[in-house]
Amino acid sequence: QVQLVESGGEMVQSGGSLRLSCAASGFTFSTYAMSWYRQAPGKERELVGTTASGGISTNYPDSVKGRFTISRDNDKRTVYLQMNNLQPEDTAVYYCMVRLGERRYWGQGTQVTVSS
């Protein structure tokens, strides 16, 4: 059974940092790319970035580029999202996702709130 469980979301001050984690199970983790998405209130879910199976991260949107970094630990079957210099507009529910064939699997999300 594919399962993704995010953790680490908190309320932080503007300019602060957080590291989110996504623990994965139910598939051969090391061979699949993993992605982080976020959804702010009243907005559609958007891609934050992706880490390939080899660990290279790509596709950071301009809104987070230079501040957010995706990494993975295949031994721990965990994907991380390091977020630095957080801003109020980063407030959202953050989700991890894996695509297995044509099906996408999502975690339950973790709330990040950035106060000014």
Side-chain angles (χ1 to χ4, degrees), residues 21-34:
S21 299
C22 173
S25 61
F27 62 98
T28 307
F29 178 82
S30 62
T31 67
Y32 286 91
M34 300 291 298

Side-chain angles (χ1 to χ4, degrees), residues 47-91:
L47 177 67
V48 175
T50 299
T51 178
S53 60
I56 303 299
S57 298
T58 60
N59 296 324
Y60 296 109
D62 290 342
S63 58
V64 308
K65 191 173 184 179
R67 299 188 298 120
F68 289 12
T69 303
I70 297 173
S71 62
R72 66 192 296 158
D73 185 331
N74 287 337
D75 289 338
K76 295 183 178 179
R77 301 177 60 85
T78 301
V79 179
Y80 303 97
L81 178 63
Q82 179 67 46
M83 305 184 293
N84 298 326
N85 192 24
L86 284 160
Q87 302 298 309
E89 52 265 38
D90 297 317
T91 294

Side-chain angles (χ1 to χ4, degrees), residues 5 10 13 39 69 78 82 86 89-90 96 100 102 106 109 114-115:
V5 181
E10 297 178 11
Q13 291 279 298
Q39 188 165 23
T69 303
T78 301
Q82 179 67 46
L86 284 160
E89 52 265 38
D90 297 317
C96 63
L100 305 180
E102 297 302 315
W106 300 87
V114 185
S115 63

